Amino acid sequence: RLTIDSNGYVGLSNTLPSAYYAKDLVISCGDEGGVTIKGGTTETQYIMFADGTTGADRYSGYIGYDHNINSMRFATASGVLRMVIDSAGNVGINTSSPSSYLAELVVSSLDDRGITIVNAVDERGWLSFADGTTGNEKYRGYINYDHDVDKMVIGTAGTTSMSLDSTGDLDVVGALSK
């Protein structure tokens, strides 16, 4: 059940912890299993990543669960909070209160930054608005950038409504017929 090898590596239900990359503590489970960190209903439990024993070096990065507000928190670089998943499932990047905003995903920045979608030079990056999971319900509204021809496309009702190419030409579908 418990193995401590000659290097001090610990295995729970594992007799060869040194065989793994992260070998200091290896827990083996036959089926579903894992580790439970139990805390009080108003407390926060942490998994800490340290590179020293004083100041912020004791918690350079961490994952914490705050039972008081039922949120998961992720921190890096001297314990600075970087991401929160709140009790409603809202995700905040560089904000501790994503539920204060309209969207479920909030990216906060104090300077000229935002969200970047990266694709291969011959592919398209998409921002899609869905109302289902089949056919064009997966992309009833969309904005996409086609890297192959350097064109921005906006779609509604599952079809292209307008596009803007690299020369600045704007094509509004059906504009002359209406």
Side-chain angles (χ1 to χ4, degrees):
R1 294 186 184 256
L2 174 67
T3 300
I4 302 174
D5 72 12
S6 61
N7 293 310
Y9 302 136
V10 177
L12 295 175
S13 298
N14 185 293
T15 59
L16 195 57
S18 62
Y20 296 88
Y21 182 78
K23 53 190 156 235
D24 295 299
L25 173 61
V26 176
I27 301 170
S28 295
C29 304
D31 292 322
E32 290 186 31
V35 176
T36 299
I37 301 172
K38 197 267 184 218
T41 59
T42 60
E43 305 299 326
T44 302
Q45 281 71 53
Y46 297 96
I47 298 172
M48 298 287 192
F49 302 91
D51 55 12
T53 58
T54 60
D57 290 344
R58 297 174 299 143
Y59 53 88
S60 294
Y62 68 80
I63 300 168
Y65 189 83
D66 184 338
H67 290 277
N68 195 42
I69 58 175
N70 292 313
S71 71
M72 183 72 71
R73 299 168 171 274
F74 300 85
T76 64
S78 298
V80 176
L81 184 63
R82 301 293 185 193
M83 186 172 83
V84 170
I85 304 171
D86 70 14
S87 62
N90 299 311
V91 177
I93 299 174
N94 290 326
T95 180
S96 61
S97 57
S99 62
S100 298
Y101 300 90
L102 177 63
E104 286 82 16
L105 172 62
V106 178
V107 178
S108 177
S109 179
L110 299 177
D111 54 14
D112 291 336
R113 295 186 183 214
I115 298 172
T116 300
I117 299 172
V118 178
N119 299 92
V121 296
D122 59 346
E123 298 295 333
R124 291 183 283 176
W126 290 79
L127 177 59
S128 300
F129 303 89
D131 58 13
T133 59
T134 60
N136 69 14
E137 293 173 344
K138 296 184 281 186
Y139 54 88
R140 292 296 292 162
Y142 59 84
I143 301 170
N144 77 53
Y145 189 83
D146 189 335
H147 292 273
D148 196 34
V149 294
D150 286 326
K151 182 188 286 186
M152 181 74 70
V153 177
I154 298 174
T156 58
T159 61
T160 297
S161 297
M162 74 170 103
S163 64
L164 178 65
D165 67 23
S166 62
T167 66
D169 288 339
L170 178 64
D171 179 23
V172 179
V173 177
L176 295 177
S177 64
K178 292 185 181 181

